[in-house]
Amino acid sequence: MDASDDFLQRATPSALLTRDGVVRFLNVPMARALGRSVEQCVGRPFGALLPTSQRASVDSLVSHGATTKTVAMRVLEFPGPGPASVVCLVEARREQVSEGGEALVWVHSLDAGNDRGGLLIPFRLAAKAASLGLCVYAPEEHTVEWLGGAPELATLFPEASVSLTDVVRRVHPDDRKALRQLLCWAAARSPWVRLRFLTERDGWHLLVCRARRIILGSNGPERVFGLVRDESAWEARRRRALVALTVERQRADEIAAFSSAVMTAVTEQEIQQVVLTRLAATFGGTGAALALVYEGRLRVSSDAGIPIPVAALHGMPLDDPSALPHVIRTGEPQFIPDQEDYIRRWPEGAMVPYFGQLDSGYALSIHPLSPGGDQPLGAWLVTYDSEHHSSPPERALMGTLADLAGQAIKRVRLQEARVELAAALQQAMLPMLPEHLPGLEAAACYRPSRDGLDIGGDWYDAFVLADGAIALEIGDVQGHDVDAAATMGQVRASMRAIAAHEPDPATVLTRTNDLLVAMDAVRFASCTMLRIDPHDGRVTGASAGHVPLLFAREDGSHSVREMRGGPVLGVVPGVDYAEETFTLDKDAALVMVTDGLVEGPGLTLDAGLERAGTLAAQAIHGGLNAEETADRVLGAAVSVDHLDDVAVLIIRRL
């Protein structure tokens, strides 16, 4: 008998390898553990026969056994003959198989029956490194043993070993079927499954679990490993973000509804109805009033929520020493937090005598409908039944809506076209770009369409994220009407709210798409979103069915970049948008446009992109700034076959 046979006669898996790890001989148990025949294994690197995750460990074990006289041991995971992996403690040492012959490395599994827990140590360490918990289910004993892993998950199992019955009892009834399927999963690995689990200390936890089938030792028992991740905190953050998003969406809905209602009003009576039914609810007040100037006196109307008689204000002259005429005369809004502040500032005001009849606090927000210096038009006021301090965003929004209402009244009185009212709404809903972006220069332009209502769904946005990066958006909602503008406002507000918590462009598009699909939105939207690091020019972006980006460079060249991403927003549920990363060089500019700028009845998309890219590159090469470049690109579209809304957003790295 050859000496090598002595090493291979063992009943446990055994193999003889060359010093560089190639299989020279192996026995049938080892071939079975590798999931192959003996012939398929001989002559191949031993590490190549094991799972990829094991190769570094195999190489280290063989190298140690080949180059030292000491014994080396390591726990290895073999593919096994069935769905379950086989975990063995493997020894490697150098052996002289024949006199004067080549020294080989003998690797063989050891009987770990007296300490099977030692085979689990690598799994415990890996679980801890991945912030996962690790437990094992013994089917024949119907017990679940907690093996450790991330320390913060230890409270899930206060006792090291519990019965399966106790585990099932702690799982939410609706999730117990999923748990049983997890434990009986026929394949080597199960998908991740979400389970609600009740702990003794702090109630319900949301766990994400995955099962693996493992055999402990070459002839050992089969076990089901459970990898556990606690997503309770993540779920809580997701719910808070969803609540914030819902609030933001509701706010956007109210603003869009208010704006579109004002825009569609064609008489003062209709404007009055919009203000008195929507104003207080939009700003969280208890009452609202609208005061319009007629021949130097106020004509006041109110809803039923104002706690003072409207007669005290109706017919009041503009020179009366009260807050309301003061706001109309000066065009300066007043935000009065309580009764004491009002009495201190307007002690002779007409409303002062009625304050003593009020049982609780009282606050006012008054905003003019026209700026100072214009012909006095009127003002509206919102009342609160307790102390109220208006935030800067609330004041800005009230000013925007008051300006819209004022424009509507002026245009109704002058019998201006309804189209012009819609254009005012569109411009009001588009944001002002940040005044200062470190290392960057940004500019944007928008022009409405020439056909139909003078309003559409094109939009752009730019804002600074929490980490200092700059977010850029450009998009187009289907249609050219009030609904398109309202949807545009919802999409833009939603994307801002999502980006505040999850700033990656692909994630923002995915969440926005989910929201629009869940809302059963009647309009879809295309969009491109970019995230730019102003320090190194690194750009991460994703697109939802939008037209390509344009690059314009200082040397006068330009190029087109088709962004990765997915379909338009609001149509296909469950889309995961892809994103890509590139660098914006210094003195180069990104040109983001809507399709109306690069497509038309006599203009193909390719030709339109070429025209816009050439114009932008010439402007950059000629030393024009971002605003001048945007005007030049947009001006060309307006002057030639311009039918659709058009928007352009340019960002240049300085």
Side-chain angles (χ1 to χ4, degrees):
M1 180 183 294
D2 190 278
S4 63
D5 292 339
D6 295 339
F7 296 102
L8 303 178
Q9 287 299 316
R10 296 174 178 264
T12 56
S14 184
L16 288 167
L17 315 178
T18 63
R19 295 175 62 128
D20 57 358
V22 176
V23 178
R24 184 64 59 82
F25 308 102
L26 80 165
N27 63 8
V28 173
M30 177 62 83
R32 187 180 299 115
L34 294 171
R36 294 173 171 83
S37 67
V38 171
E39 292 75 14
Q40 290 174 321
C41 298
V42 173
R44 296 186 61 186
F46 187 64
L49 301 173
L50 273 76
T52 304
S53 62
Q54 301 294 297
R55 291 178 184 175
S57 298
V58 172
D59 292 344
S60 173
L61 177 67
V62 174
S63 175
H64 191 90
T67 57
T68 68
K69 295 182 179 180
T70 60
V71 173
M73 294 183 187
R74 188 177 290 269
V75 175
L76 296 179
E77 184 178 347
F78 291 80
S85 299
V86 181
V87 179
C88 297
L89 179 61
V90 179
E91 176 187 83
R93 64 185 181 189
R94 188 172 59 183
E95 296 288 353
Q96 196 72 33
V97 175
S98 61
E99 185 176 350
E102 178 186 10
L104 299 177
V105 179
W106 179 38
V107 295
H108 65 103
S109 69
L110 300 173
D111 183 4
N114 66 319
D115 182 24
R116 297 198 189 278
L119 300 176
L120 307 179
I121 291 176
F123 296 94
R124 292 166 55 190
L125 295 176
K128 184 177 181 180
S131 297
L132 298 173
L134 183 66
C135 59
V136 60
Y137 169 58
E140 68 278 6
E141 300 170 9
H142 298 287
T143 58
V144 178
E145 182 181 357
W146 181 253
L147 300 181
E152 60 269 20
L153 297 177
T155 56
L156 297 176
F157 288 87
E159 299 176 4
S161 180
V162 296
S163 68
L164 178 60
T165 302
D166 188 51
V167 173
V168 172
R169 180 178 59 82
R170 293 176 179 273
V171 172
H172 193 280
D174 293 344
D175 298 337
R176 290 172 185 171
K177 181 179 178 181
L179 173 63
R180 294 187 181 95
Q181 291 175 337
L182 196 66
L183 297 178
C184 299
W185 198 263
R189 298 171 187 260
S190 76
W192 289 98
V193 175
R194 295 162 71 91
L195 303 172
R196 287 161 288 183
F197 189 82
L198 183 63
T199 62
E200 294 180 353
R201 291 188 177 182
D202 47 6
W204 289 100
H205 283 239
L206 178 64
L207 305 182
V208 181
C209 308
R210 187 178 199 177
R212 292 191 58 195
R213 307 188 74 82
I214 300 290
I215 296 174
L216 299 179
S218 58
N219 295 307
E222 183 173 313
R223 295 288 185 263
V224 178
F225 276 15
L227 294 172
V228 182
R229 182 170 67 246
D230 190 344
E231 291 194 350
S232 304
W234 178 88
E235 179 66 13
R237 289 194 298 271
R238 188 189 72 83
R239 288 183 178 276
R240 288 194 296 269
L242 184 60
V243 169
L245 177 61
T246 301
V247 171
E248 187 70 22
R249 179 173 62 81
Q250 291 174 344
R251 182 78 159 177
D253 288 344
E254 292 172 355
I255 295 167
F258 191 110
S259 302
S260 62
V262 168
M263 185 276 298
T264 55
V266 294
T267 66
E268 287 193 22
Q269 175 67 26
E270 291 179 356
I271 295 172
Q272 180 187 50
Q273 291 173 204
V274 172
V275 171
L276 298 184
T277 56
R278 294 183 176 274
L279 183 60
T282 300
F283 292 97
T286 56
L290 177 66
L292 299 177
V293 177
Y294 287 91
E295 298 179 355
R297 292 186 175 273
L298 305 186
R299 181 181 297 175
V300 182
S301 56
S302 71
D303 61 12
I306 290 187
I308 60 172
V310 174
L313 305 173
H314 192 71
M316 181 183 294
L318 273 180
D319 57 0
D320 190 270
S322 295
L324 186 57
H326 172 83
V327 168
I328 297 173
R329 288 195 310 269
T330 64
E332 299 175 358
Q334 297 294 321
F335 302 94
I336 305 160
D338 52 42
Q339 295 158 280
E340 292 182 0
D341 184 66
Y342 187 98
I343 296 172
R344 177 180 59 81
R345 297 165 64 185
W346 290 281
E348 304 299 325
M351 290 189 291
V352 171
Y354 299 97
F355 285 157
Q357 304 172 16
L358 302 178
D359 296 330
S360 60
Y362 187 70
L364 283 173
S365 292
I366 311 175
H367 213 288
L369 301 178
S370 57
D374 284 7
Q375 182 70 27
L377 182 63
W380 66 28
L381 61 87
V382 179
T383 62
Y384 304 86
D385 60 5
S386 61
E387 183 175 332
H388 179 78
H389 296 271
S390 299
S391 66
E394 180 181 291
R395 297 183 180 191
L397 179 59
M398 183 174 286
T400 298
L401 295 181
D403 184 61
L404 279 178
Q407 291 183 44
I409 292 171
K410 288 180 182 178
R411 288 169 180 153
V412 165
R413 289 181 175 178
L414 296 174
Q415 297 185 356
E416 291 185 351
R418 183 179 175 189
V419 169
E420 293 177 345
L421 277 173
L425 168 64
Q426 177 75 32
Q427 293 293 344
M429 295 183 75
L430 291 174
M432 295 291 293
L433 297 185
E435 294 183 1
H436 176 65
L437 298 176
L440 301 171
E441 180 188 24
C445 290
Y446 167 81
R447 297 283 171 85
S449 65
R450 294 190 315 207
D451 289 349
L453 283 178
D454 217 8
I455 188 168
D458 287 18
W459 88 90
Y460 57 81
D461 205 355
F463 50 95
V464 182
L465 297 168
D467 61 358
I470 310 302
L472 299 170
E473 303 168 15
I474 195 163
D476 181 6
V477 174
Q478 170 202 20
H480 305 96
D481 54 19
V482 176
D483 288 338
T487 302
M488 176 268 284
Q490 291 175 335
V491 173
R492 190 172 66 83
S494 298
M495 292 183 68
R496 274 214 180 201
I498 294 169
H501 302 278
E502 301 179 273
D504 292 334
T507 303
V508 174
L509 293 183
T510 297
R511 299 289 182 265
T512 304
N513 181 66
D514 291 343
L515 176 62
L516 291 179
V517 172
M519 292 169 56
D520 198 20
V522 297
R523 303 299 176 95
F524 62 80
S526 67
C527 178
T528 291
M529 182 174 181
L530 305 178
R531 182 181 185 275
I532 301 181
D533 187 331
H535 302 293
D536 59 9
R538 184 180 178 86
V539 182
T540 303
S543 175
H546 201 65
V547 296
L549 291 174
L550 293 168
F551 284 82
R553 303 177 183 87
E554 192 178 29
D555 62 3
S557 65
H558 71 277
S559 60
V560 179
R561 188 183 188 99
E562 186 82 30
M563 294 292 297
R564 296 179 61 195
V568 293
L569 303 172
V571 177
V572 182
V575 177
D576 288 325
Y577 288 84
E579 63 184 23
E580 60 184 274
T581 301
F582 54 91
T583 299
L584 177 62
D585 296 328
K586 286 192 174 181
D587 294 318
L590 278 172
V591 182
M592 305 170 71
V593 301
T594 55
D595 58 359
L597 192 140
V598 291
E599 285 185 295
L603 188 67
T604 66
L605 176 61
D606 289 342
L609 290 170
E610 177 64 23
R611 182 181 70 176
T614 299
L615 289 170
Q618 290 174 348
I620 297 295
H621 181 66
L624 300 186
N625 60 26
E627 184 173 357
E628 293 167 332
T629 302
D631 285 337
R632 177 169 293 187
V633 172
L634 188 139
V638 171
S639 61
V640 181
D641 54 39
H642 162 59
L643 296 176
D644 199 358
D645 306 289
V646 291
V648 58
L649 175 60
I650 293 181
I651 188 83
R652 182 178 182 184
R653 188 177 174 205
L654 303 177

